[in-house]
Amino acid sequence: MEYDLVVIGGGPAGMLGAATAARRGLKVVLLEKNDRLGKKLAITGGGRCNFTNDSDGDAFSGNIVTNGKFLYSALNAFAGRHLVQLFKTLGLQARVEAGGRVFPASGQSGDVLKALQKHLQDSGVEVRYNSGVRQLLSRDGQAAGALLSDNSTVKSRSVLVATGGASYQQTGSSGDGYRFARRLGHTIVGPRPALVPLVVRDGWVRELQGLALDHVMLRVAAGGRAKAEQSGELLFTHFGLSGPAVLNLSSFLTKHFSFPLDLIIDLKPGWPGERLNKLLQDHLQQNPARSLKNTLSVILPQRLAPVIPVLAGVDGGRQGAQVTRGEREELVSALKNLAVTVTGTRSLNEAIVTGGGVSVKEINPSTLESKIIRGLYFAGEVIDVDALTGGFNLQIAFSTGYLSGSSAGAGR
Ligand SMILES: Cc1cc2nc3c(=O)[nH]c(=O)nc-3n(C[C@H](O)[C@H](O)[C@H](O)COP(=O)(O)OP(=O)(O)OC[C@H]3O[C@@H](n4cnc5c(N)ncnc54)[C@H](O)[C@@H]3O)c2cc1C
């Protein structure tokens, strides 16, 4: 039997691509190598699935790290509001949280998966589990189907590769799509880890493991013309730094910088140096007999307070009244310009997304069809696109899934 479209990969991109094409009357089969769909989707957003972001247009694009322009058509064709509407028709209500992050109202990623499975079923997609694809089939520059790991073949007039990236490989995304695409003549950029924790040399950072700071500013000390800064939450870990601000910054670091590099942490971004100095002076004057480190714990988390004097080269045991103006300046400098040396990142497998992928130069942005092989389409993380945290990566997967599913098989 010949299908109109074979979709490889049952993640968000593949599921929406398959359902969209089937709704247009195409005969579609979805091949998933796991025994279930959306294994990665299930663990997104800490199990709550931050499936999109309610920002639109430029605000959304501002959160795309790589190839935002390429995604213009896909994001226009199927924006966050379309996804929320689709989910509503499938019985899934959405809830918007801080930063425009959109979650299912139930707080369960499983409910997003159920909605997508219902969409697949309602659309008449045939889903095959435990069906790992080994190779793509093509004939005379035209996609022709897929060869499975058990050596069986599935013939089709077009193929959508939605195999994801190469991170969190236990979920099934093990970079197969890169191999498929390369074999058919496509260029693969990278891949590199993105949204990935940073490994830091400084011992004091590791000693603070488990401590989270709500609002800090991070910036790269010196990077020639390249600039990178992010604000938000930071988490100290046993190897270095994580948390949303660090993950977001990492995507720029792995793209534009090389390691080791010096990172500057501003612990009090809302306080200009002079005001912070005055605040510190007031606290020290009000508590002249109290030790410096105890006074600092009024404006800093308990565990961080004794570390700052050490880094500033000031005796934390000194009484408030003994702290000199020069020492206060050193303390303010430590609070505003805390330097750490980043030696690298955690592995690609530990990255929330994979940066790099199938080069966008070889994909038509209006259809997501390959410019090399007719009838071959790409959607989701397998493409050289990535974005910051906040629901943007899943929206990209859904948007590119939708656009490829809308274009596949057209004109044949
Ligand atoms: C821990 C974690 C949390 C995250 N949280 C969020 C979040 O809250 N919000 C957000 O926007 N993004 C989040 N992301 C990123 C997001 O999950 C991905 O960007 C998104 O899942 C990519 O979708 P995709 O469909 O392209 O690929 P995937 O979801 O990776 O799906 C690819 C599918 O293809 C299958 N496959 C692979 N190779 C083959 C083969 N050879 N044959 C058959 N099937 C194959 C895989 O088994 C898999 O099911 C998170 C990622 C992680 C790891």
Side-chain angles (χ1 to χ4, degrees), residues 178-203:
Y178 304 149
R179 203 167 34 76
F180 300 156
R182 192 180 283 121
R183 203 180 142 271
L184 291 180
H186 276 276
T187 308
I188 307 302
V189 177
R192 64 181 170 87
L195 301 183
V196 66
L198 299 177
V199 179
V200 165
R201 184 178 290 154
D202 313 67

Side-chain angles (χ1 to χ4, degrees), residues 20 25 28 66 98 141 160 167 184 233 243 250 283 285 295 303 321 335 338 365 369-370 372-373 379 403 409:
T20 306
V28 182
T66 308
L160 168 59
S167 319
L184 291 180
E233 193 184 323
S250 77
H283 279 294
Q285 276 172 356
T295 295
R303 290 180 60 201
L335 290 168
L338 201 53
E369 185 174 18
S370 159
I372 298 173
I373 303 287
L403 181 59

Side-chain angles (χ1 to χ4, degrees), residues 8-14 31-34 36-41 43-46 49-52 103 131-134 162-165 167-168 171-174 176-177 179-180 351-353 379-382 388 390-395 397:
I8 308 173
L31 305 177
E32 167 55 54
K33 75 167 156 193
N34 290 325
R36 62 201 138 109
L37 298 170
K39 226 173 151 182
K40 185 173 274 180
L41 186 74
I43 60 165
T44 55
C49 187
N50 173 200
F51 62 79
T52 188
F103 294 85
S131 300
V133 170
R134 193 148 59 118
T163 46
S167 319
Y168 278 70
T171 62
S173 346
S174 49
D176 293 357
R179 203 167 34 76
F180 300 156
I352 298 292
V353 294
E381 211 176 301
V382 72
L388 300 182
F392 304 100
N393 285 294
L394 279 173
Q395 181 61 49

